[in-house]
Amino acid sequence: MGYSVLMPTSLPTQEVTIGGVQFRLTALGSKKGTRVLTRLLNLAGPSVEALAGQDERAVMSALGSLFARLSPGDLEFFDSEFGETTEIMREHGYVRLAKLSPLDRDALWAANFGDMFSWLKSCIDLNFASFLAGVGDIARPASPAKTSAQSP
């Protein structure tokens, strides 16, 4: 007898506008997502534990300092991985970011690295927000079980 595996019909997507350009982000699949998350955690190191219990603003601030430590190879890795699952609106419809010509990529990012950073943060948020939110739950000690008073 066979078995059934529940599969999503599509991966989650999110549309964002950054620097006047409309992006459609699609979540990474599990295998690629695991590879990207592992690279992100290797870069973040112990600072991930410091995010425990912090609000979204603190997490975004920590991501900002993480990006300040990226090597060119790291940045190329994230650009490549997220570029495969990102589309941008052009005059004739959406085009996959990874398929843009070097001239089109220059037009998009040159002198707009703040926009590139915003795009990367949006990609991380779409893919790993639930994980980052769970970091606080993992790092906090469990609360003692509540007991209800029993009346005689």
Side-chain angles (χ1 to χ4, degrees):
M1 192 190 293
Y3 62 92
S4 173
V5 176
L6 297 177
M7 299 289 290
T9 56
S10 63
L11 295 170
T13 62
Q14 177 182 5
E15 292 190 3
V16 296
T17 301
I18 300 168
V21 177
Q22 186 170 348
F23 292 81
R24 181 167 52 201
L25 314 174
T26 301
L28 301 169
S30 62
K31 187 172 184 174
K32 186 178 277 196
T34 300
R35 184 173 58 243
V36 172
L37 179 60
T38 301
R39 180 91 172 242
L40 192 62
L41 292 175
N42 284 336
L43 285 167
S47 63
V48 171
E49 187 176 333
L51 297 177
Q54 300 298 314
D55 63 14
E56 184 178 339
R57 185 175 173 160
V59 171
M60 287 297 120
S61 176
L63 285 176
S65 63
L66 167 70
F67 283 124
R69 295 190 308 265
L70 289 176
S71 72
D74 294 327
L75 190 54
E76 288 174 13
F77 170 80
F78 291 116
D79 179 64
S80 174
E81 295 297 319
F82 290 130
E84 287 292 329
T85 60
T86 298
E87 298 170 299
I88 65 167
M89 179 58 79
R90 304 299 271 189
E91 57 278 354
H92 56 279
Y94 279 104
V95 176
R96 190 165 309 279
L97 183 60
K99 301 291 183 189
L100 290 180
S101 72
L103 287 175
D104 285 337
R105 288 182 71 82
D106 282 348
L108 181 64
W109 298 135
N112 294 313
F113 290 104
D115 291 349
M116 179 187 238
F117 175 69
S118 294
W119 166 68
L120 287 170
K121 285 192 335 186
S122 295
C123 291
I124 289 170
D125 185 53
L126 173 65
N127 284 279
F128 308 119
S130 63
F131 173 82
L132 293 172
V135 167
D137 296 336
I138 293 168
R140 274 190 226 93
S143 300
K146 292 183 180 180
T147 57
S148 58
Q150 293 183 346
S151 300

